Amino acid sequence: MPADPITDLDRRHLDAAIAEARAGLAEGGIPIGAALVVDGEVIAVGRNRRVQQGSAIKHGETDCLENAGRQPASVYASATMVTTLSPCDMCTGAILLYGIGRVVIGENRTFYGGEDYLRQRGVEVVVVDSDECVAMMTDFIAANPSLWNEDIGVVD
């Protein structure tokens, strides 16, 4: 499947999410990062911190939203969530709950989350199909299958 059109600005924002994913990996966590973008500027970043913080819900997108702090609905309505990996059901729900209208996804080959549901609900979804994001997740999943399965709620 060919990648969706992506702008240079989207690429820069994806780089911020990738940096977060790499930071999470360096901390011993799962390499998934996110950036919340409003009016072309990153207002928050986050990374999967489930391992680091012993959290049940700190995925890249939810950590990013937490780091953004309280925002008026108008901010979320004009926001783009940029994430290195297709969002899981929990993160898809958070995107919908806050009315985020656009999601840029680094890759969906290693995990295909709630993209179809986002589209059904009117969210613009752009899939970059980044080889860097695919390699990062492929390597992590091969080295840590049990931890990966825990993160996505799959019983080993």
Side-chain angles (χ1 to χ4, degrees), residues 54-73:
S55 171
I57 62 168
K58 285 280 185 133
H59 281 193
E61 299 89 338
T62 55
D63 186 53
C64 182
L65 289 167
E66 176 74 12
N67 291 337
R70 288 180 61 193
Q71 298 291 331

Side-chain angles (χ1 to χ4, degrees), residues 69-151:
R70 288 180 61 193
Q71 298 291 331
S74 60
V75 170
Y76 294 117
S78 65
T80 296
M81 176 64 76
V82 180
T83 180
T84 58
L85 185 65
S86 183
C88 71
D89 289 342
M90 178 176 66
C91 295
T92 293
I95 290 164
L96 292 172
L97 176 69
Y98 289 105
I100 297 170
R102 185 168 185 262
V103 178
V104 174
I105 298 169
E107 69 102 350
N108 63 5
R109 284 191 258 165
T110 60
F111 178 79
Y112 194 95
E115 297 171 42
D116 295 333
Y117 189 52
L118 289 169
R119 286 183 185 101
Q120 288 171 5
R121 296 285 302 271
V123 176
E124 178 187 354
V125 177
V126 177
V127 179
V128 177
D129 197 29
S130 160
D131 290 335
E132 183 177 6
C133 290
V134 171
M136 189 168 28
M137 285 309 300
T138 300
D139 292 348
F140 178 82
I141 292 167
N144 303 280
S146 292
L147 185 55
W148 172 242
N149 285 338
E150 175 190 320
D151 196 63

